[in-house]
Amino acid sequence: MPETPLPALHGTGTAAARAATVADFRHNLDSVRTRIAAACARAGREPASVRLLPVSKTVDEARLRLAYEAGVRDFGENKVQEAAHKAEAMADLAGLRWSVIGHLQTNKAKVVARFADEFQALDSLRVAEVLDRRLQAEGRGLDVLVQVNTSGEDSKFGLAPDEVAPFIRKLPAYPALRVRGLMTLAVFSPDPDRVRPCFVRLRELRGRLRQDAPDGIALDELSMGMSGDFELAIIEGATVVRVGQAIFGPRTTPDSRYWPPGR
Ligand SMILES: *Cc1c(COP(=O)(O)O)cnc(C)c1O
């Protein structure tokens, strides 16, 4: 892919105003979809090839119901307990899908197995094993993405790129997990020249993994890109973009609660 300059596409200031009505949500969703379509046009891709996953962490139930009225059916949540509470409180709404996108400890895996439709942050066999066991007990399956640390930062969860191939070879042992692809968080930087290589790394890794992926493991999905960098991610091949603040507005809770500074 040629290096096209991306001046207006990336950076800070990408949170929308706080959405407090259904009309606000329609407006913010429209503008995110317009940005997705523009990035797709630049990349010669179909807008339908990119799934928008609205990320609703810190957003309360009342506002999630407004987003639902504006057409949102998928919600991405970073913390399991927060997600499980919302899923329970909103069980009256038809067609909701909950996607857990944050690091999971084995002791929370049983909660995920009960309510989640997708888990995007798989990075340990211990978690895979507990999830699979609990899912089988529930008679459920779960779409999973393997999280990869493409930035090399200690603060980011995920497997190192060279750990992913041997990891994926072990996943057929957990049949309740439907492995769909890879997820990453790029480095947080306003500089596209630092962000973009993370996305390139994930796409190239998928290309290599596909060559000897075990039967039944489809590596179609690349979940990468957030409010500040999803256009770049789309240009580099994202099939899922996880967008919070450009839809819901700025978060008041500091992100350090979701992304611990070290581990
Ligand atoms: C919060 C979060 C996002 C969305 O970030 P925004 O800046 O609100 O778009 C994406 N991915 C993960 C893993 C997150 O925790």
Side-chain angles (χ1 to χ4, degrees):
M1 180 122 354
E3 287 291 315
T4 39
L6 291 161
L9 288 186
H10 180 80
T12 50
T14 42
R18 185 176 185 278
T21 64
V22 177
D24 291 345
F25 278 109
R26 292 215 171 94
H27 173 269
N28 292 352
L29 287 162
D30 273 358
S31 78
V32 168
R33 289 200 186 100
T34 301
R35 287 169 61 189
I36 290 174
C40 284
R42 258 176 110 144
R45 301 182 55 194
E46 288 296 325
S49 68
V50 179
R51 171 160 73 106
L52 170 61
L53 175 62
V55 175
S56 51
K57 64 184 187 223
T58 77
V59 179
D60 63 25
E61 180 196 339
R63 290 172 73 221
L64 293 196
R65 286 179 180 273
L66 298 177
Y68 181 88
E69 241 181 284
V72 173
R73 293 295 177 271
D74 289 25
F75 289 105
E77 288 279 343
N78 190 297
K79 295 252 183 220
V80 177
Q81 294 301 351
E82 182 180 344
H85 283 138
K86 289 174 180 174
E88 200 178 353
M90 295 168 70
D92 57 306
L93 300 181
L96 277 187
R97 278 177 45 90
W98 294 94
S99 182
V100 173
I101 60 175
H103 181 73
L104 184 60
Q105 281 157 357
T106 45
N107 62 354
K108 305 259 174 68
K110 64 170 183 294
V111 183
V112 170
R114 213 177 295 136
F115 81 96
D117 298 286
E118 178 179 66
F119 174 49
Q120 292 205 356
L122 184 64
D123 65 0
S124 95
L125 290 174
R126 285 267 299 126
V127 168
E129 200 227 304
V130 179
L131 271 177
D132 183 67
R133 185 161 20 94
R134 304 300 306 205
L135 285 161
Q136 296 209 28
E138 301 272 343
R140 303 184 74 228
L142 183 70
D143 290 338
V144 300
L145 278 68
V146 175
Q147 184 171 357
V148 183
N149 182 341
T150 53
S151 69
E153 296 166 292
D154 277 354
S155 58
K156 300 275 201 296
F157 289 108
L159 297 171
D162 63 0
E163 296 171 332
V164 181
F167 181 78
I168 283 184
R169 277 196 289 274
K170 301 203 173 95
L171 294 182
Y174 311 108
L177 304 182
R178 298 182 294 248
V179 182
R180 302 295 196 206
L182 308 176
M183 180 273 238
T184 201
L185 282 155
V187 67
F188 300 132
S189 163
D191 179 1
D193 291 336
R194 296 192 55 215
V195 174
R196 193 170 190 159
C198 298
F199 299 146
V200 171
R201 233 165 260 144
L202 198 71
R203 172 168 46 76
E204 291 181 348
L205 177 63
R206 182 186 59 175
R208 290 196 299 278
L209 294 169
R210 271 176 167 171
Q211 288 164 16
D212 63 351
D215 282 353
I217 302 245
L219 295 172
D220 295 326
E221 305 298 336
L222 288 180
S223 174
M224 55 189 198
M226 324 193 323
S227 293
D229 58 18
F230 69 77
E231 284 100 336
L232 263 181
I234 288 170
I235 285 167
E236 293 302 344
T239 66
V240 181
V241 291
R242 308 178 307 268
V243 179
Q245 298 180 83
I247 295 172
F248 294 94
R251 281 186 292 274
T252 47
T253 315
D255 275 344
S256 55
R257 180 169 137 70
Y258 294 91
W259 296 311
R263 11 171 197 140

